[in-house]
């Protein structure tokens, strides 16, 4: 799963159109890695920031958010970030936010606002390629990544939703974004029908040609990857 996730994110990055957009934090002395705090809508929020060990303030980096599952927390995601940090080879800035009540209820859009504020803060301090922002997460974290796909398609380059469902809302949800969905056929918490529903919205938004998507049999221990022919730049 890790290699599939990485390949899809890298492919999405490789197909980006347009020129590099560098954040205002380029050229500045970087903050340290570690736990950061901010106040959002009167509530104290936390996140872990991971700055590359060989950080170069004049180089624009990818920015990758990893969201935890229900009853998880930011420390479950950092420092591995679903296996992506090791595979990135210090080529990306990683963020692991903490949800309220150990989840991503996004009441009144407060978690989306939290993400907006993190991006603003991080990019004012670090050199980020503003065309290369990504989000991923498992279960409730997948739901939060999906919510970002709906509400911030022009902010994030791509999302990877692992075993998600529409639990964090979908404000907007009419524009395309590069999308990867992964779901287990025997998921007993969030049935695979949830994953299909999320996938199908962005197959439509991305202008993808209709295609049969076979699924492995229960207990087979295998996976099947289906790729679609979609609007250019939105796999």
């Amino acid at each position: 799963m890790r290699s599939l996730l990485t390949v899809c994110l890298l492919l999405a990055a490789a197909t980006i159109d347009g020129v590099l957009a560098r954040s205002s934090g380029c050229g500045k002395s970087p903050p340290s890695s570690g736990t950061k705090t901010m106040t959002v809508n009167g509530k104290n929020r936390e996140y872990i920031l991971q700055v590359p060990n060989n950080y170069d303030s004049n180089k624009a980096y990818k920015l990758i958010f990893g969201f935890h599952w229900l009853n998880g927390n930011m420390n479950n995601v950092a420092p591995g970030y679903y296996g992506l940090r090791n595979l990135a080879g210090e080529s990306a800035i990683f963020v692991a936010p903490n949800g309220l009540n150990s989840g991503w209820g996004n009441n009144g859009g407060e978690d989306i606002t939290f993400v907006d504020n993190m991006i603003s803060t991080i990019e004012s301090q670090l050199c980020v390629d503003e065309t290369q922002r990504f989000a991923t997460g498992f279960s409730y974290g997948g739901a939060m990544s999906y919510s970002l796909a709906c509400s911030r398609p022009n902010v994030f380059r791509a999302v990877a939703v692992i075993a998600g469902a529409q639990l964090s809302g979908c404000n907007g949800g009419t524009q395309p974004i590069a999308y990867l969905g992964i779901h287990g056929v025997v998921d007993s918490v969030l049935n695979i029908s949830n994953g299909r529903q999320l996938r199908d919205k962005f197959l439509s938004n991305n202008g993808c040609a209709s295609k049969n998507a076979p699924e492995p049999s229960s207990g087979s221990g295998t996976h099947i990857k289906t790729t679609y022919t979609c609007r250019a730049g939105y796999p």
Side-chain angles (χ1 to χ4, degrees), residues 175-187:
Q175 298 183 59
I177 185 171
Y179 187 93
L180 168 65
I182 301 174
H183 214 108
V185 294
V186 291
D187 191 323

Side-chain angles (χ1 to χ4, degrees), residues 115-131:
V115 173
D116 290 341
N117 290 2
M118 283 187 286
I119 290 174
S120 178
T121 297
I122 292 166
E123 295 189 359
S124 71
Q125 300 172 339
L126 291 165
C127 194
V128 174
D129 178 353
E130 295 175 342
T131 69

Side-chain angles (χ1 to χ4, degrees), residues 1-159:
M1 182 185 75
R2 290 176 178 176
S3 60
L4 173 62
L5 177 60
T6 305
V7 168
C8 289
L9 288 176
L10 293 177
L11 284 175
T15 57
I16 185 68
D17 295 322
V19 298
L20 182 71
R22 294 160 60 90
S23 68
S24 62
C26 295
K28 296 181 180 179
S29 179
S32 61
S33 297
T35 300
K36 311 296 179 182
T37 62
M38 63 170 55
T39 301
V40 181
N41 296 342
K43 298 178 182 180
N44 184 58
R45 305 299 303 261
E46 292 183 311
Y47 63 95
I48 295 174
L49 175 68
Q50 183 62 51
V51 181
N53 291 327
N54 57 355
Y55 177 75
D56 179 349
S57 65
N58 294 309
K59 173 185 175 181
Y61 291 81
K62 296 180 180 69
L63 179 62
I64 302 176
F65 285 81
F67 295 93
H68 63 76
W69 49 93
L70 178 63
N71 295 325
N73 59 60
M74 60 188 183
N75 295 297
N76 297 132
V77 175
Y81 298 90
Y82 297 102
L84 290 175
R85 186 180 166 212
N86 181 58
L87 293 167
E90 303 300 325
S91 67
I93 297 164
F94 285 92
V95 185
N98 229 17
L100 294 172
N101 302 313
S102 301
W104 300 101
N106 193 31
N107 296 321
E110 62 184 348
D111 289 324
I112 297 294
T113 300
F114 179 31
V115 173
D116 290 341
N117 290 2
M118 283 187 286
I119 290 174
S120 178
T121 297
I122 292 166
E123 295 189 359
S124 71
Q125 300 172 339
L126 291 165
C127 194
V128 174
D129 178 353
E130 295 175 342
T131 69
Q132 296 285 282
R133 304 183 188 108
F134 302 90
T136 189
F138 169 70
S139 194
Y140 220 151
M144 184 60 194
S145 300
Y146 177 79
S147 186
L148 287 168
C150 292
S151 62
R152 297 293 184 267
N154 296 322
V155 173
F156 284 85
R157 174 66 187 117
V159 300

Side-chain angles (χ1 to χ4, degrees), residues 159-205:
V159 300
V161 177
I162 309 170
Q166 190 171 317
L167 305 174
S168 306
C170 178
N171 184 28
T174 61
Q175 298 183 59
I177 185 171
Y179 187 93
L180 168 65
I182 301 174
H183 214 108
V185 294
V186 291
D187 191 323
S188 61
V189 178
L190 297 175
N191 188 274
I192 191 172
S193 61
N194 292 284
R196 297 188 194 113
Q197 179 185 10
L198 306 191
R199 172 201 66 192
D200 290 349
K201 173 178 280 292
F202 284 98
L203 287 179
S204 175
N205 289 357

